[in-house]
Every structure is written in C-alpha cells, then in structure tokens.
Amino acid sequence: MSSLQTRQGSLKIVDAARVAARGALFVTEARLRAMVKWLWLIISIAIANPVLYLISIGLGLGSYIDQNTGAMGVDGVSYLTFLAPALLATAAIQGAMDESVYPTLEGFKWNKTFFSMNATPLSGNQIAMGVFYNSLIRTIFTAVLYWLVMLTFGVLDSPRAWFAIFTAIMAGAAFGALMQALAGFLENENVFFTIVERFIIMPLFLFSGTFYPLTNMPIFLQWIGWISPLWHATELGRWLTYGSEISTPMLFLHFIFLNSILIIGLIASRRIFTKRLGK
Amino acid sequence: MSKSLIHARGLTKKFGDFTAVNGIDFDVIKGESFGLLGPNGAGKSTAMRMIGATSQRTSGDLTILDKDPDKFGPQIRAHLGVVPQQDNLDTQLSVVENLYIYGRYFGLSRKFLKGKIEELLSFAQLEEKRNAKVESLSGGMKRRLTIARALVSEPEILMLDEPTTGLDPQARHILWDRLFRLKEDGVTLLITTHFMDEAEQLCDRLVVMDKGAIMAEGSPAQLIKDYSMKEVLELRFGSERNAHMADDLRQLCDRIEELPDRILMYTEDGEELLERVYKKGFHPKTSLVRRSSLEDVFLRLTGRTLID
Ligand SMILES: Nc1ncnc2c1ncn2[C@@H]1O[C@H](COP(=O)(O)OP(=O)(O)OP(=O)(O)O)[C@@H](O)[C@H]1O
Ligand SMILES: [Mg+2]
C-alpha cells in the first residue's frame, strides 16, 4: 500500500446537501452498472418470453379460440388483441420483480451492499428509491421490447395498441414496489421463494383474467383478480387498446387502485429499508 | 466545535432483552487514534455501528462531530470513512467500479474520482486487478479494497472494525504505516481489534470492553502499568501438570494466572524470578520472560484471555 496524495478532507470535498438531493439517483446508477452486466440475459429474456408466448398461446391457442368463437372473437376482438395487454403487463411485472426482489435480498443479506451504502450520506429512503427507479427502468425496457416483438409478429391490429405499454408499466411499477417492500420485510428469503412466489404470486397470475375475462371465473374466485394489479392493468389496457366496454367509475377504480398500490409499496419500502438498516 | 469529535455517555444498545452495549462513556479527541479492545461478542461492532450513525442507539447520549446521529445521520456520515468488520463490497462489480460508485454515494464528481481511484488502487496495490470482478479477489485483496474504499471521500474520522483480519503480515504492517500517516494528516482514527500488538501499535488511547461494558481506559502503557506488572514469566510444565504446579509456585510472586497450556507469573524482574523458580527445584519444560502486554491487562480485568 503506497501513500496517498495531498488530502483536502471531506469537510471540503463532500457536499451532503448534494447527496440529500440526488442520492437515490446515485444508487440507481450503481444498480444500473450491475444490471448492464446481465444485459445479454435481460435482452434474451425480454425477447424469448414474448416469442414463446406468441407462438404457443397466441398462434396455437389463439387460432383455436378464434376458430371456435367465430367473428365475435373474445370480448369482440381477436384472441391475441384481447391477450396482448395482459401478456405485456405480465412481462413487465416479471421484469420489475427481478430488479426489485433480487437486489433487495442481495443488499440486505447476500452481499450486504445496502449496509455499505448506508454508511455513506445515503439514507434508507434513498436506497429504497434508487432500487425502485432501477426496477422501473427494467420494467420500461421489458415492456417496450415485448411490444416491439408483438409488432414484428403483426399481432397488434389496433392502432392504439401501444397504449398497453403504459398500463403494463403501471402494473410493473406497482407490483415491483410492493414486492420490494415484502423482500425487505422478510428476513428469511426462503419464505419469499417458497411461500410468496407459490401461494401469492402464482395465483395472482392465474386468476387475473389474463387468458379469459375475469367474469368467466366463479364469483368466489374473482376477488383474487380484484386485489391483483395485473387484472386492473389488463382491464385498463383492454379499454385503451381496443375500447373494451367498461364504465367510467371502473376506469377510475383501476387507475386509483394501481396508483395506490404503487404509493403503498413505496412508502412501505422506504420505512422497511430505513428500519432494517437502523437496527 | 468542541474538542471531542465523538462523545458518548451511557451509550446503550439492546436487541430485544439482550444488552449488547451497556452504558459506555468515552470521548474521542480530534487527531487521536482511539481503540476499542475486547473479545468476541464484547459489543465493539455494535458500538461502531452506532458511532457510524447507522444503527440507532437504545439510550444514552451520543454526538459525532457535535451532531446527534438520530437527527443528522447523513450529515455525520458525510465525514466518516467506514471499514466494516465484514467486507460488503458489491461483488458483481469490478474493483474500479466499487471505488467509483462508493465515491458517487458521497456525491463526488466523476472528474475528482478519476484521479482518486488511481491513487487508491496504488494504495491498495490492486492496480493489476483494477478490472477484475470483486468476486474473483482473494480475501486479503477484498479487505484492502474495503479499506481503500473508505478513504475515497477523504474522511475526517476513519472507523476501522478489525481492519487487519485476513491480511498477511506484510499487508498488515503496511496498513499500520499508512494509518500512522493518515493520523499525521489530522485524521481521527477509531479502531476495534482483538489483536494486542495492533492495539499497542496503533492506539494512543483505548478502552477495554467486555460483555458490553468498559472495564478500563487509558493509553496502552498506562493500562499496562495500572493493571499488570512490568514483566511476565511464562512457564509450561505440560498440560497435566500445570494446574498442580500453580499452587506451589504461588508463594514465589504476587500474582499468578493459570491457563490451560501455561502458567503466567507477574513480576518486576522476570529473569530473577526464573532463577528462584529453578532454585526451588521446579523444572518447567519451557520458560519465557517477556514484557507485560495488553493481553495481561485483559486477563487481569476479566479473568479470560482475549483469543481463546
Ligand atoms: N443485530 C443483532 N441482533 C441481535 N443480537 C446482536 C445483533 N448484533 C449483535 N448482536 C449481539 O450483540 C453482542 C455484541 O456483538 P458485536 O458484534 O458488537 O461484538 P464484537 O465485540 O464486535 O465481537 P467480535 O469480536 O466477534 O466482532 C453479541 O452477543 C451479538 O450476538
Ligand atoms: Mg465485531
């Protein structure tokens, strides 16, 4: 270890106010650097995912359904048009989960990087927000790529189809924020993977009116869709992309629900991060 | 600004019912090198985390740079350099990236960091590993990187929790030398260790901690003077006979400590005592006369050795 050059000292060179204002972005910058190392994988997932879905479900199941439903289609449109907003939102949610759950487990437990961040002027709130912004970037990236693949497959017949990108991002953001809070809260990551993934996340995907309208589901199961950001985002997306029939109060409800989940998720993340770091 | 950069009174930390730090009092003055010495579980790291303005205290007064960490955590941390006991580097990133992002957390500009990183790479002797992923570094290299990282913001107070764990003797001595120089530059050092030689080498003043409490405070020399005698005679009779011999030897000196593998006899003149031991007809397998150290202070205060 050799000597260091002239020292100015932190009192001169560190500006705590600057960190107070922009700290979350510094966290995002670091997370992005880590994420970029997996870029090839992220791109592969983002492309392979829609390609596989479109081939198997879209073309296989879709043409079968379209043949059997005749000119009326599902909800008055072709099955793929009906499915597109849901698939997009599902992919966005998965992208958001990857970028919020894993970094949170890593930061608190596997590498304890959050503790090293918190030894700097960064606060728990900023660390939580920085991780969230990064997962938002991943969400947007995933949704846009997915949409481009659908475009390439020529399955988007509505001129407004691209609106579904926004509802997908809303779903991803809301779900990601909530899962970030949960991953920070559960000190044992096995609980997350065994219980949360299997008994909370999977049912939400299966019972969110993804593959058929939620109203086709027995009434005693419909509540699962109601609490699922995926269903709300899908409903909004269907309305935006092909004008599915939906009442104005319901539109507001979907919108408010998604934003409430987002806000609750963020507030919870910030509290949980701050509390756990301050132990 | 008052003279003490760190001021603690009745500082306490509880985890549930368990008290990890139990009402400790101390002051660290600007420019000095202050040590927390104690065995595993003494509460050193817990105290460090409270002083590092990350872990919230349960009770007591604490100010760092004249500020209360409960209210001004970020403002305090802006001037601390923290080397935690366990390296918490970002293993997915490279050596250079780790230094870079850490500097960014302090709001430092890219331009400043560019030069600073080169300096720190050479400080940590990691120039050749600059683009290696942290995952691929050896334990000692990670440790050196963690120490270099703490210096990126040129902190006023450098806090090192067991800094030399995992370093080879050479890297250890180079680090000591480097810490001396930082001290000459006016940096205040706060160090925890359970290495006696490290505490004696590095600390102007230290507290001996055990079970969350401070047992004694002073300079290494003063502590040795107060709690031990000048020299120690270490005798080994073989593990079976040590206990038996201790009783017979007790009459020859003021104080005697019996350890599983050896007997320690405290005296002002070790050679003279050894002569008397032989004269009385005792024949130890090995004998050694040495100066008293902090290890002996600790043994005296707690009845236990530091590293068992
Ligand atoms: N987060 C925690 N929750 C519960 N107990 C804790 C926590 N952190 C520390 N402790 C307990 O507090 C006591 C002091 O721990 P600490 O890590 O401060 O010791 P230490 O002096 O640094 O020891 P070592 O030399 O092994 O590093 C230990 O008994 C430990 O089990
Ligand atoms: Mg410790």
Side-chain angles (χ1 to χ4, degrees):
Chain A
M1 297 191 183
S2 76
S3 171
L4 298 176
Q5 266 96 61
T6 45
R7 216 186 98 86
Q8 300 171 62
S10 60
L11 292 172
K12 234 184 201 158
I13 65 172
V14 177
D15 181 358
R18 181 174 144 89
V19 182
R22 306 185 33 195
L25 298 180
F26 300 144
V27 176
T28 304
E29 185 187 356
R31 292 284 347 132
L32 272 174
R33 275 173 182 269
M35 192 171 83
V36 164
K37 311 241 152 160
W38 300 98
L39 194 59
W40 61 272
L41 189 64
I42 290 171
I43 292 177
S44 312
I45 293 173
I47 292 177
N49 202 3
V51 168
L52 293 176
Y53 260 95
L54 289 175
I55 291 173
S56 71
I57 298 180
L59 303 182
L61 189 64
S63 55
Y64 175 74
I65 290 172
D66 286 343
Q67 272 165 29
N68 285 286
T69 51
M72 279 304 290
V74 179
D75 205 18
V77 289
S78 80
Y79 188 55
L80 268 179
T81 307
F82 170 81
L83 207 54
L87 290 183
L88 206 59
T90 306
I93 287 174
Q94 280 166 350
M97 291 263 300
D98 280 351
E99 231 38 74
S100 53
V101 172
Y102 287 98
T104 300
L105 294 175
E106 186 192 293
F108 277 120
K109 200 146 181 197
W110 298 335
N111 278 331
K112 302 200 182 291
T113 40
F114 288 169
F115 293 91
S116 72
M117 292 178 184
N118 194 222
T120 73
L122 291 172
S123 67
N125 283 350
Q126 290 174 316
I127 297 169
M129 292 312 289
V131 170
F132 171 75
Y133 294 148
N134 181 61
S135 95
L136 190 62
I137 290 170
R138 168 82 184 268
T139 308
I140 294 169
F141 182 80
T142 305
V144 170
L145 264 189
Y146 204 114
W147 187 82
L148 287 175
V149 172
M150 290 205 281
L151 197 67
T152 317
F153 267 63
V155 297
L156 303 168
D157 30 4
S158 159
R160 288 184 302 171
W162 61 278
F163 282 144
I165 295 175
F166 294 104
T167 52
I169 292 168
M170 281 174 73
F175 215 86
L178 206 58
M179 288 302 127
Q180 185 182 326
L182 197 57
F185 179 72
L186 296 173
E187 306 212 345
N188 180 349
E189 72 266 32
N190 293 328
V191 176
F192 195 93
F193 291 122
T194 51
I195 312 227
V196 177
E197 290 232 316
R198 270 178 229 177
F199 298 110
I200 299 182
I201 296 169
M202 268 308 277
L204 285 186
F205 277 110
L206 291 174
F207 300 102
S208 289
T210 313
F211 300 110
Y212 42 83
L214 189 65
T215 44
N216 285 15
M217 188 77 76
I219 191 82
F220 64 91
L221 284 177
Q222 286 187 19
W223 63 272
I224 302 178
W226 278 88
I227 59 162
S228 162
L230 178 57
W231 180 64
H232 294 277
T234 301
E235 287 296 287
L236 269 183
R238 284 178 181 150
W239 175 71
L240 280 169
T241 53
Y242 64 85
S244 66
E245 241 171 80
I246 190 163
S247 67
T248 314
M250 277 306 285
L251 278 182
F252 276 104
L253 187 95
H254 292 317
F255 189 76
I256 290 167
F257 182 89
L258 285 173
N259 284 293
S260 307
I261 293 286
L262 174 63
I263 291 165
I264 290 168
L266 287 180
I267 292 174
S269 292
R270 292 162 63 110
R271 292 232 174 118
I272 288 165
F273 275 44
T274 302
K275 188 148 177 252
R276 190 159 169 191
L277 288 167
K279 264 193 186 159
Chain B
M1 193 177 278
S2 70
K3 248 180 61 186
S4 57
L5 288 196
I6 305 169
H7 171 84
R9 286 292 174 275
L11 183 60
T12 299
K13 179 77 183 187
K14 292 188 178 170
F15 296 107
D17 294 336
F18 179 76
T19 307
V21 173
N22 195 0
I24 60 174
D25 302 344
F26 63 88
D27 283 273
V28 180
I29 292 156
K30 184 168 170 49
E32 82 172 328
S33 167
F34 188 86
L36 302 175
L37 181 68
N40 293 148
K44 305 180 298 290
S45 297
T46 306
M48 288 289 257
R49 284 201 305 273
M50 288 191 280
I51 300 161
T54 49
S55 172
Q56 283 201 321
R57 63 188 186 270
T58 309
S59 61
D61 292 337
L62 178 65
T63 58
I64 301 120
L65 298 160
D66 277 338
K67 293 189 180 82
D68 180 345
D70 280 354
K71 296 187 192 111
F72 298 101
Q75 289 87 337
I76 293 168
R77 296 197 298 269
H79 306 294
L80 304 181
V82 177
V83 177
Q85 184 167 5
Q86 281 183 323
D87 299 323
N88 49 19
L89 298 158
D90 197 325
T91 53
Q92 294 180 50
L93 300 180
S94 70
V95 169
V96 169
E97 283 174 314
N98 264 278
L99 295 171
Y100 172 81
I101 59 160
Y102 206 72
R104 295 291 284 165
Y105 298 155
F106 284 89
L108 299 169
S109 72
R110 290 189 173 83
K111 189 164 156 269
F112 171 84
L113 285 171
K114 223 175 154 209
K116 192 72 192 177
I117 286 169
E118 291 311 313
E119 208 182 300
L120 291 172
L121 283 174
S122 112
F123 167 74
Q125 294 176 315
L126 287 169
E127 290 110 322
E128 273 151 41
K129 294 281 180 183
R130 55 189 309 136
N131 293 318
K133 249 194 182 185
V134 164
E135 239 167 18
S136 71
L137 298 185
S138 78
M141 290 173 182
K142 283 185 195 156
R143 199 68 190 142
R144 292 191 326 240
L145 180 58
T146 306
I147 294 165
R149 185 181 71 168
L151 293 171
V152 74
S153 56
E154 303 190 350
E156 291 302 307
I157 303 176
L158 183 60
M159 302 179 46
L160 306 122
D161 196 350
E162 315 268 355
T164 58
T165 318
L167 293 187
D168 60 35
Q170 194 199 355
R172 204 161 163 237
H173 284 278
I174 295 170
L175 177 67
W176 288 358
D177 171 66
R178 189 54 216 127
L179 293 177
F180 274 127
R181 280 192 246 173
L182 281 170
K183 220 184 95 186
E184 280 168 11
D185 285 345
V187 179
T188 306
L189 301 177
L190 184 61
I191 300 162
T192 82
T193 182
H194 53 242
F195 293 121
M196 295 299 148
D197 52 345
E198 189 157 286
E200 284 186 43
Q201 284 280 329
L202 288 179
C203 302
D204 300 326
R205 225 149 50 80
L206 54 90
V207 291
V208 178
M209 280 184 79
D210 189 32
K211 297 183 181 136
I214 290 179
M215 314 290 291
E217 181 191 328
S219 68
Q222 191 62 45
L223 284 169
I224 291 167
K225 201 162 158 240
D226 291 352
Y227 294 97
S228 187
M229 303 187 72
K230 207 166 146 209
E231 294 192 331
V232 188
L233 173 61
E234 294 198 5
L235 300 177
R236 288 169 202 258
F237 291 93
S239 46
E240 262 109 76
R241 293 179 59 215
N242 280 340
H244 174 67
M245 300 308 266
D247 290 332
D248 299 334
L249 290 166
R250 216 171 289 277
Q251 43 175 319
L252 294 179
C253 66
D254 299 336
R255 202 177 128 238
I256 200 163
E257 291 281 354
E258 213 187 300
L259 300 178
D261 61 333
R262 60 195 188 231
I263 293 168
L264 305 181
M265 301 177 77
Y266 291 90
T267 177
E268 287 302 311
D269 185 343
E271 292 298 341
E272 181 266 340
L273 177 59
L274 182 59
E275 241 168 69
R276 283 195 283 131
V277 168
Y278 278 118
K279 258 191 208 147
K280 284 269 175 188
F282 297 107
H283 294 285
K285 281 186 179 159
T286 63
S287 64
L288 168 78
V289 174
R290 60 168 175 82
R291 280 179 49 232
S292 261
S293 73
L294 287 171
E295 178 80 51
D296 303 296
V297 172
F298 188 78
L299 194 60
R300 172 71 186 276
L301 289 168
T302 67
R304 288 181 293 131
T305 48
L306 257 169
I307 306 164
D308 0 57

XYZ file of all heavy atoms in Angstrom, chain A residues 279, chain B residues 15 18 20 38-47 49 85 161-162 194, ligand 1:
173
model
N -31.133 -0.976 12.520
C -31.155 -1.925 13.643
C -29.855 -1.933 14.415
O -28.801 -1.844 13.818
C -31.446 -3.331 13.138
C -32.917 -3.647 13.250
C -33.155 -5.138 13.048
C -34.648 -5.389 13.018
N -34.977 -6.649 12.367
N -30.789 -5.480 21.893
C -31.507 -6.237 20.867
C -32.524 -7.079 21.618
O -32.171 -8.092 22.210
C -30.553 -7.134 20.081
C -29.510 -6.386 19.289
C -28.182 -6.368 19.692
C -29.864 -5.684 18.141
C -27.218 -5.684 18.969
C -28.906 -4.994 17.401
C -27.585 -4.998 17.814
N -31.673 -8.518 25.137
C -30.227 -8.649 25.270
C -29.530 -7.291 25.142
O -29.793 -6.531 24.216
C -29.716 -9.599 24.187
C -28.228 -9.787 24.218
C -27.648 -10.585 25.186
C -27.422 -9.143 23.294
C -26.279 -10.753 25.223
C -26.048 -9.295 23.325
C -25.474 -10.108 24.291
N -26.373 -5.431 24.256
C -25.094 -5.650 23.568
C -24.066 -4.615 23.990
O -22.877 -4.907 24.095
C -25.287 -5.620 22.061
N -11.433 -5.796 22.828
C -12.275 -6.725 23.581
C -12.452 -8.022 22.847
O -12.193 -8.106 21.654
N -12.907 -9.051 23.546
C -13.065 -10.375 22.924
C -14.317 -10.438 22.053
O -15.080 -9.473 22.001
C -13.216 -11.302 24.130
C -13.877 -10.459 25.154
C -13.363 -9.058 24.947
N -14.531 -11.544 21.409
C -15.727 -11.759 20.600
C -16.976 -11.485 21.425
O -17.075 -11.922 22.565
C -15.794 -13.196 20.086
C -14.694 -13.503 19.087
O -14.224 -14.626 19.006
N -14.260 -12.520 18.336
N -17.893 -10.746 20.827
C -19.166 -10.500 21.499
C -19.139 -9.394 22.529
O -20.129 -9.155 23.221
N -18.005 -8.680 22.638
C -17.898 -7.626 23.651
C -18.828 -6.451 23.349
O -19.178 -5.678 24.240
C -16.458 -7.131 23.741
N -19.212 -6.299 22.091
C -20.062 -5.165 21.719
C -19.316 -4.108 20.919
O -19.840 -3.018 20.698
N -18.125 -4.434 20.458
C -17.317 -3.464 19.711
C -18.004 -3.043 18.408
O -18.167 -1.862 18.137
C -15.936 -4.054 19.372
C -15.160 -4.549 20.566
C -13.806 -5.118 20.159
C -13.859 -6.327 19.241
N -14.350 -7.566 19.858
N -18.408 -4.034 17.620
C -19.016 -3.709 16.329
C -20.336 -2.977 16.514
O -20.668 -2.071 15.757
C -19.250 -4.974 15.511
O -18.020 -5.583 15.214
N -21.079 -3.382 17.521
C -22.350 -2.715 17.795
C -22.106 -1.250 18.143
O -22.803 -0.356 17.650
C -23.078 -3.432 18.947
O -23.194 -4.819 18.616
C -24.451 -2.852 19.176
N -21.088 -1.003 18.967
C -20.740 0.379 19.300
C -20.311 1.137 18.041
O -20.709 2.280 17.818
C -19.630 0.397 20.352
N -21.207 0.640 14.982
C -22.336 0.946 14.101
C -23.155 2.124 14.618
O -23.696 2.901 13.837
C -23.222 -0.283 13.914
C -22.624 -1.315 12.964
C -23.685 -2.239 12.411
N -24.449 -2.894 13.463
C -24.082 -4.032 14.042
N -22.997 -4.650 13.655
N -24.816 -4.559 14.987
N -16.533 -4.734 9.758
C -15.830 -5.980 10.065
C -15.913 -6.962 8.906
O -14.939 -7.598 8.558
C -16.444 -6.600 11.329
C -15.715 -7.852 11.785
C -16.124 -8.262 13.182
O -17.014 -7.682 13.797
N -15.477 -9.271 13.696
N -13.180 -1.491 11.750
C -13.606 -2.591 12.609
C -12.801 -3.840 12.239
O -13.016 -4.428 11.198
C -15.113 -2.833 12.422
C -15.703 -3.685 13.546
O -14.923 -4.230 14.354
O -16.935 -3.806 13.606
N -11.881 -4.195 13.092
C -10.968 -5.322 12.842
C -10.313 -5.203 11.470
O -10.470 -6.083 10.623
C -11.733 -6.659 12.911
C -12.666 -6.784 14.081
C -12.021 -7.435 15.293
O -10.856 -7.872 15.194
O -12.664 -7.469 16.343
N -8.996 -7.273 18.250
C -8.671 -8.140 19.380
C -7.221 -8.581 19.287
O -6.821 -9.523 19.954
C -9.661 -9.295 19.539
C -9.858 -10.110 18.318
N -11.074 -10.219 17.699
C -9.001 -10.827 17.582
C -10.955 -10.983 16.638
N -9.704 -11.367 16.547
N -28.484 -7.486 15.005
C -28.309 -8.160 16.152
N -29.338 -8.796 16.725
C -29.182 -9.457 17.884
N -28.041 -9.530 18.574
C -26.958 -8.912 18.053
C -27.039 -8.196 16.819
N -25.811 -7.678 16.563
C -25.020 -8.067 17.575
N -25.703 -8.800 18.480
C -25.152 -9.378 19.728
O -24.502 -8.378 20.440
C -23.316 -8.854 21.041
C -22.161 -7.980 20.616
O -21.912 -8.189 19.239
P -20.784 -7.381 18.469
O -20.836 -7.811 17.075
O -20.931 -5.952 18.777
O -19.475 -7.943 19.170
P -17.957 -7.654 18.831
O -17.333 -7.113 20.043
O -17.850 -6.856 17.601
O -17.425 -9.128 18.595
P -16.383 -9.707 17.511
O -15.018 -9.565 18.083
O -16.768 -11.134 17.414
O -16.583 -8.965 16.244
C -23.180 -10.299 20.604
O -23.616 -11.113 21.669
C -24.096 -10.435 19.450
O -24.663 -11.706 19.380
